[in-house]
Amino acid sequence: MNLCLHNPVTCADRSSSLFSALKTSNNKLGTSKFGFLKNRKKNHVVAVRSVSSTAVEERTKRESGGGESKVYDAIVIGSGIGGLVAATQLAVKEAKVLVLEKYLIPGGSSGYYERDGYTFDVGSSVMFGFSDKALKAVGREMEVIPDPTTVHFHLPNDLSVQVHREYDEFVNELISKFPHEKEGILGFYGVCWKIFNSLNSLELKSLEEPIYLFGQFFQKPLECLTLAYYLPQNAGDIARKYIKDPQLLSFIDAECFIVSTVNALQTPMINASMFLSVQGQVLCDRHYGGINYPVGGVGGIARSLAGGLVDQGSEILYKANVGVRLADGREFFAKTIISNATRWDTFGKLLKGEKLPKEEENFQKVYVKAPSFLSIHMGVKAEVLPPDTDCHHFVLEDDWKNLEEPYGSIFLSIPTILDPSLAPDGRHILHIFTTSSIEDWEGLTPKEYEAKKEEVAAGIIQRLEKKLFPGLSSSITFKEVGTPRTHRRYLARDKGTYGPMPRGTPKGLLGMPFNTTAIDGLYCVGDSCFPGQGVIAVAFSGVMCAHRVAADIGLERKSKVLDAGLLGLLGWLRTLA
């Protein structure tokens, strides 16, 4: 197997579970102020390929004198939250891990950037059920600020709903808007709590590891059976068993859309009920764990994880482009490779020249790339915002049918409502994003591209000015617009996608792959694995992946017979989707 973008290298043994990452040797490594391993001079260029166990041993013996080779338990490609959580969870089990990141800082779409005194979150500022357990595992902590309102919805027919931190307040507000649906509201959200409580009773690790899974079943059989019952079901179908009002059902569509980019009928019930921190969910965890914004911005999570990884004796290498092998490259060897790229990038680009495995073909039959986003990062004068402005808003002004259309709905975060230190005095940050397809931005000259960015951004800003903040346009002190091309370039995501979405109506989560792949020793982590999109969801994906890898490299208990049976069963279940 070759993992490379160009010039595939020759494999010594295609069936081996040992991999090597090659990079140039003429770039020395230095330590940054964060204690991270990085290149001060220029990009490292690396490729990843499989070699046999014998080849690893012989190469290590041959070059051990010169110190040119290192052997790792795992090499992680990409330092998004999923990759970093997988890396740190392995590191605390005393695994030796190397993370390769092509950019200058960790975090991927959960990173940050600084301009003119502002600190902007690259992606979402919403931290459903934020937990610092992953940070504490590597001796790190972050101060957080509680948000009293999860999201303020501004919807058609002048429907305004604030999702309060306290569950009773939220339900009472929703019932006040739809008094005739009181029993239905209590019934549907009651099912959400039932699923949440089942999840919250379990120690959540890899669902692909049978010793853990069977142990949980014998300890909590009713909870496990509850989750199994809802696994193939979707939120929209469950909602319709309790609720008839079309506008209330559309509101539930909007709730699901902000975390899955599809409506409730296409959102698995467990996904709708589960937006995981270590344990948590969208429709309940926002009340159980709440929204907690990390002081200093979301990018601080990745920085803390990366620092904790180094503290544990593992390494992270920045400006490391997995792709071209150079003749003078020294070699890094690992027992396993964890790809934090999307499955499309992993199997379409990193595994260049390899035949697509059957299960990946099946995955691509069931799921397509979710759209990317148009993002607008703005600094504005503080006086344009009313004093009681909420931090997070979702705007869909006129027609419910526009919910899933490009530019149809707008998500807005104002993190300086919670943390004023992110902006200069007297200023606020507005982070605006709306779905957009990369096809809408291709085939343009540079001049046409810049003009279109300004035109589309101006339209979005005018909508917010009309709906929420009069005078917004004239209050702007800083503005930067990103398109799907921007997300593709800086995040190395195929078409700028933020994960998979079902082609049609899915059978719950049956079709969603976990972390293992058809290629021995290769694992995937992130938003194209269970449980899907979102910062907290990919963090849980990292926890799951680390547990499965740890079992495979001998750091956790493992049964080959049970493994074969469970993985075969899970593969069969995915074919039913």
Side-chain angles (χ1 to χ4, degrees), residues 23-36:
K23 69 172 195 58
T24 59
S25 60
N26 58 350
N27 297 319
K28 295 183 178 181
L29 302 178
T31 304
S32 74
K33 63 180 179 180
F34 298 108
F36 305 153

Side-chain angles (χ1 to χ4, degrees), residues 346-558:
T346 298
F347 290 93
K349 296 179 181 178
L350 295 177
L351 283 169
K352 189 175 179 65
E354 295 289 328
K355 182 180 178 181
L356 190 66
K358 183 65 177 177
E359 68 177 36
E360 296 303 321
E361 288 182 4
N362 293 337
F363 166 73
Q364 293 186 22
K365 289 177 182 178
V366 178
Y367 292 94
V368 296
K369 304 177 190 74
S372 188
F373 292 96
L374 176 89
S375 58
I376 309 171
H377 291 89
M378 296 199 315
V380 301
K381 297 175 183 177
E383 56 264 27
V384 77
L385 305 184
D388 58 349
T389 299
D390 292 311
C391 181
H392 304 292
H393 301 260
F394 184 83
V395 179
L396 177 65
E397 307 99 309
D398 301 321
D399 193 335
W400 289 106
K401 294 180 180 178
N402 291 332
L403 175 67
E404 299 176 77
E405 294 298 315
Y407 318 113
S409 53
I410 303 169
F411 197 92
L412 166 67
S413 287
I414 315 172
T416 43
I417 295 290
L418 301 176
D419 185 0
S421 71
L422 300 172
D425 290 342
R427 299 289 186 264
H428 273 299
I429 285 174
L430 270 65
H431 181 193
I432 307 159
F433 47 104
T434 181
T435 56
S436 178
S437 169
I438 199 166
E439 288 76 14
D440 200 27
W441 297 91
E442 293 184 322
L444 303 173
T445 66
K447 184 176 180 180
E448 290 170 338
Y449 178 66
E450 292 300 324
K452 184 168 183 173
K453 284 202 300 183
E454 290 303 312
E455 178 185 358
V456 175
I460 298 295
I461 294 167
Q462 287 169 13
R463 288 167 60 186
L464 292 176
E465 187 169 31
K466 181 179 178 181
K467 187 68 178 181
L468 299 178
F469 309 124
L472 178 61
S473 297
S474 61
S475 75
I476 298 171
T477 60
F478 175 89
K479 182 181 69 176
E480 194 159 83
V481 182
T483 73
R485 286 170 54 173
T486 313
H487 295 279
R488 180 180 63 185
R489 176 184 177 186
Y490 288 100
L491 301 178
R493 303 178 67 87
D494 194 345
K495 295 190 174 183
T497 182
Y498 271 69
M501 67 179 190
R503 289 183 183 271
T505 301
K507 294 182 179 178
L509 280 172
L510 284 183
M512 179 64 77
F514 291 96
N515 303 111
T516 60
T517 72
I519 297 174
D520 190 23
L522 174 66
Y523 304 79
C524 286
V525 69
D527 53 27
S528 51
C529 303
F530 176 92
Q533 299 180 43
V535 176
I536 310 307
V538 299
F540 179 55
S541 171
V543 172
M544 293 176 64
C545 187
H547 181 222
R548 179 64 260 184
V549 170
D552 288 340
I553 63 176
L555 299 179
E556 296 272 7
R557 290 189 302 160
K558 177 180 177 178

